[in-house]
Amino acid sequence: VYRINWLKVRARRDRWKEEVSLVRHEMLWTCLSFEYHKDIWEKRALQSTEPGKEAYAKKQMGLWNDFAKKARLMFQGKQVDCI
């Protein structure tokens, strides 16, 4: 009986370790994704020839930059390194 419980507990511990690892990676991927989208809109703003398109691209760039900043603040101290 004790051996079965020990095996169940060990399996549960292993699942939690895997889950923690996945969540940490997801936090990093989220930061990188927001930075990527910000960079894309920044390039579009620089390449734009029309004022309206440039303004829209800058607005989107600011939006994705805010997302990245908020993600870095929320994930700060959670053992993940965001760029």
Side-chain angles (χ1 to χ4, degrees):
V1 174
Y2 292 113
R3 176 120 173 111
I4 292 170
N5 285 336
W6 182 82
L7 290 171
K8 287 180 182 179
V9 169
R10 187 176 76 175
R12 187 177 300 132
R13 181 204 63 195
D14 291 345
R15 285 192 301 269
W16 273 105
K17 280 184 177 181
E18 182 182 12
E19 184 67 26
V20 168
S21 175
L22 286 172
V23 169
R24 287 182 180 154
H25 282 93
E26 287 172 356
M27 288 188 289
L28 177 61
W29 297 333
T30 300
C31 291
L32 293 175
S33 174
F34 291 158
E35 291 289 331
Y36 170 77
H37 285 287
K38 179 191 73 85
D39 292 342
I40 291 293
W41 282 105
E42 186 175 19
K43 289 176 188 174
R44 289 179 182 169
L46 293 173
Q47 294 173 351
S48 180
T49 58
E50 298 176 31
K53 289 183 179 179
E54 181 182 353
Y56 182 78
K58 286 183 178 181
K59 181 178 178 181
Q60 290 296 313
M61 184 181 69
L63 180 74
W64 287 105
N65 191 38
D66 288 345
F67 287 158
K69 284 180 184 177
K70 287 178 185 176
R72 281 194 300 272
L73 285 174
M74 289 178 68
F75 300 151
Q76 188 176 14
K78 306 291 192 287
Q79 299 177 355
V80 65
D81 294 325
C82 290
I83 293 177

